[in-house]
Amino acid sequence: MTLQSAHEYRSSPRRLSIYNTLTGAKETFSPLDSSPTSPEVKMYVCGLTPQDQSHLGHGLNSTRFDMVRRYLAYRRLSVNFVQNVTDIDDKIIAKVLTTGQDPLKMTRGYTDEFYACMAQLHALPVERLTRVTEFVPQIVAFIQALIDKGFAYVTPEGNVYFDVSKKADYGKLSNQNTSMLYESVRKELDKEKRSPLDFALWKRDESTSLSQPSPWGVGRPGWHIECSAMIHETLGDRIDIHGGGLDLKFPHHENEIAQSEAYSGDGFANVWMHGGLLNIEGQKMSKSLNNFTTLVEGLTDYGSAPFRFVVARHHYRSAIDLGNKLFRDNLNALLDFHRLFARFPSMDSTKPDTASPEALALIEAFEAAMDNDFNSPEALVGLDKARSSVAQQLDSGKVTPEQVAGMAKLVQELGQVLGLFFDSLETVEDQGLRLIAKILEAAPLSRADIAGLLRERAEARASKNFARSDEIRKEAALRGVEILDSKGGSTFRFA
């Protein structure tokens, strides 16, 4: 990406604001690093628990935080991005005991598959990927510090629990008081626990090769402690942004705050960001409802470019209902952008226009939207208006391609800040045709098929065989393709 903001972040008259789940309000974002240029932003986003193939919800969450990360970088902030892999977990152990698989080989395979899918979505590579299996000694040391500080206790069975009663503000992220939270936990009281709210830091377990030694016996970390310890090791005790899906707010993130602040005696994350959840055709995605879609299947069915475009058209905090209608309604909008870019053969070497009044207005509108809690839908509205204007100018014949190429390049590069417009027109057309065929439950047309239909139709029209010309149009429509005629010839859109 070559485009840079026209001004340094710290000298901008408008500052970035982010909705902070912890305070329930939008706040002006100020990095912990006070460097005058390119200050570092410490950002951690919860990642996979790879006991199975990743699903579309994992892709949705990572795509959204990739957009956030990209915009921070566009704003000349130096993002130190860390993401975890929970490769020691109850579900992983249960699957290993049932199937006899090697746990490290299994979790590595699912993890590699997920990040291959994210590469298809043009997500930036994770700068530091932390795996629980690689941080157990550091996690043990973190737990021991909590015990020494009086925030955790060891049971005779060799388990370690965090004592929630020692953290007076426990529940501040999920905005619940301790008495209310009793209703959110299991009714039966674990005899080892002092309170049903106390959560495990270390579990005594010798069942698999994932178990490792500790001062309290052979076992494994609890779910929440891993993130606190790995953040401490990679980013320090205090970070700028902690992100994750809304479903992690309680208990996972609530418990992270408690143990991290107990460890350091200070604050933990300045900003908590939570992405909205995923529904499929109006229902929560789950295996029990038989609407569970793996990320691999989803990208095959929907296409990586349409998926990312649909995600960007929803605010990151909103729920998103993925379905055929949503993709159908967005395919032509995505196609319009790529059709415009394809009208400039030398687009790769074109420099974006950043000086004309139109360009400055577009940059201002784009930044104003994204500075307002990463409002990507509003940012896309501005990009679409600029795209339409450039296309109309070209169609009018009043300007040459050279005169508006810089503006088209600006639209493309601003879109790339959202993670869009990296694919070729041919790729977008192919993915759209496969998706339309899936919606119609029909055999997909290829671009070669459509080219053949357009040639045949042109020949029919040239010979004044208008009946055959109309038949071809209807045949194409039944397969999800609308033929469009213009002075320059015929093309197609998705019906």
Side-chain angles (χ1 to χ4, degrees), residues 36-281:
T37 59
S38 298
E40 180 188 40
V41 172
K42 298 177 179 180
M43 182 176 179
Y44 181 89
V45 176
C46 287
L48 292 178
T49 301
Q51 84 272 9
D52 205 338
Q53 284 186 287
S54 303
H55 54 68
L56 276 175
H58 295 125
L60 170 66
N61 190 61
S62 287
T63 298
R64 283 173 157 167
F65 282 103
D66 177 70
M67 179 193 69
V68 170
R69 181 185 175 193
R70 284 176 176 276
Y71 187 70
L72 293 174
Y74 164 84
R75 271 305 205 178
R76 295 186 177 179
L77 295 168
S78 178
V79 184
N80 187 354
F81 184 83
V82 178
Q83 192 164 44
N84 72 303
V85 175
T86 303
D87 55 357
I88 302 178
D89 178 78
D90 291 349
K91 293 180 180 179
I92 291 172
I93 290 170
K95 186 167 186 176
V96 167
L97 292 175
T98 301
T99 65
Q101 295 181 75
D102 177 88
L104 291 181
K105 184 176 180 181
M106 180 187 76
T107 56
R108 288 289 176 119
Y110 290 139
T111 301
D112 290 346
E113 179 184 81
F114 170 74
Y115 283 104
C117 288
M118 293 312 300
Q120 291 181 45
L121 288 163
H122 301 287
L124 295 170
V126 175
E127 290 172 320
R128 182 73 186 271
L129 191 65
T130 59
R131 305 174 193 269
V132 177
T133 50
E134 298 171 353
F135 281 83
V136 173
Q138 294 91 330
I139 293 171
V140 168
F142 198 101
I143 295 172
Q144 185 62 59
L146 290 175
I147 295 171
D148 295 342
K149 292 172 182 287
F151 286 97
Y153 56 92
V154 185
T155 69
E157 290 79 3
N159 297 307
V160 183
Y161 292 95
F162 186 89
D163 190 342
V164 169
S165 69
K166 299 295 179 65
K167 196 74 168 63
D169 60 356
Y170 183 79
K172 62 184 178 181
L173 180 67
S174 50
N175 197 29
Q176 303 177 77
N177 61 43
T178 304
S179 60
M180 292 170 60
L181 287 174
Y182 274 99
E183 302 300 321
S184 303
V185 298
R186 294 180 304 168
K187 294 296 182 182
E188 68 273 16
L189 178 63
D190 189 322
K191 293 180 180 179
E192 287 192 289
K193 291 184 179 184
R194 296 174 182 173
S195 162
L197 291 180
D198 294 350
F199 54 90
L201 302 177
W202 185 262
K203 296 182 178 183
R204 187 70 182 268
D205 178 19
E206 301 178 27
S207 62
T208 70
S209 60
L210 293 174
S211 301
Q212 299 190 37
S214 80
W216 322 289
V218 174
R220 55 190 170 84
W223 176 27
H224 318 294
I225 192 64
E226 53 171 280
C227 287
S228 290
M230 293 190 294
I231 288 171
H232 168 74
E233 292 294 326
T234 58
L235 295 174
D237 288 330
R238 190 154 193 153
I239 64 174
D240 293 285
I241 297 173
H242 195 312
L246 189 61
D247 54 332
L248 296 179
K249 184 168 70 169
F250 182 84
H252 183 53
H253 289 161
E254 194 74 73
N255 293 348
E256 269 193 72
I257 292 176
Q259 61 204 9
S260 294
E261 292 185 349
Y263 178 90
S264 69
D266 197 359
F268 177 38
N270 280 6
V271 178
W272 284 87
M273 297 179 65
H274 289 95
L277 301 181
L278 174 71
N279 297 318
I280 302 291
E281 301 287 3

Side-chain angles (χ1 to χ4, degrees), residues 326-345:
L326 178 63
F327 281 95
R328 186 182 67 231
D329 291 347
N330 281 279
L331 273 178
N332 284 321
L334 174 64
L335 183 64
D336 286 341
F337 278 105
H338 286 271
R339 286 261 170 91
L340 175 68
F341 305 145
R343 296 176 77 169
F344 302 93

Side-chain angles (χ1 to χ4, degrees), residues 261-463:
E261 292 185 349
Y263 178 90
S264 69
D266 197 359
F268 177 38
N270 280 6
V271 178
W272 284 87
M273 297 179 65
H274 289 95
L277 301 181
L278 174 71
N279 297 318
I280 302 291
E281 301 287 3
Q283 291 183 306
K284 180 181 177 181
M285 185 175 67
S286 70
K287 289 185 177 180
S288 62
L289 294 174
N290 199 30
N291 66 352
F292 182 89
T293 304
T294 69
L295 185 54
V296 171
E297 293 168 341
L299 294 186
T300 299
D301 290 343
Y302 297 126
S304 56
F307 179 80
R308 183 124 200 183
F309 189 74
V310 163
V311 171
R313 293 201 104 168
H314 291 74
H315 192 274
Y316 79 89
R317 286 193 285 117
S318 67
I320 181 169
D321 187 8
L322 290 186
N324 292 339
K325 183 178 185 303
L326 178 63
F327 281 95
R328 186 182 67 231
D329 291 347
N330 281 279
L331 273 178
N332 284 321
L334 174 64
L335 183 64
D336 286 341
F337 278 105
H338 286 271
R339 286 261 170 91
L340 175 68
F341 305 145
R343 296 176 77 169
F344 302 93
S346 59
M347 193 61 136
D348 289 344
S349 59
T350 299
K351 292 184 178 180
D353 177 5
T354 58
S356 71
E358 296 80 9
L360 292 172
L362 174 58
I363 292 170
E364 171 62 21
F366 178 84
E367 292 182 358
M370 293 300 289
D371 284 344
N372 182 19
D373 194 30
F374 307 101
N375 193 334
S376 59
E378 186 177 334
L380 268 173
V381 168
L383 294 182
D384 192 53
K385 288 180 180 178
R387 175 211 59 78
S388 178
S389 175
V390 173
Q392 289 175 7
Q393 291 179 68
L394 282 173
D395 292 341
S396 71
K398 295 179 180 179
V399 299
T400 65
E402 291 75 18
Q403 289 175 304
V404 290
M407 192 64 181
K409 184 66 172 179
L410 177 64
V411 171
Q412 183 186 53
E413 288 200 350
L414 288 174
Q416 289 175 348
V417 174
L418 307 180
L420 306 174
F421 310 151
F422 289 102
D423 295 293
S424 67
L425 172 61
E426 292 76 18
T427 296
V428 172
E429 288 178 342
D430 284 339
Q431 292 181 358
L433 289 168
R434 286 197 299 271
L435 176 53
I436 286 294
K438 171 188 174 294
I439 292 172
L440 296 175
E441 299 182 348
L445 285 169
S446 67
R447 287 185 297 110
D449 293 334
I450 294 173
L453 289 175
L454 293 179
R455 282 195 301 271
E456 183 182 355
R457 186 163 176 273
E459 293 168 358
R461 296 178 73 189
S463 61

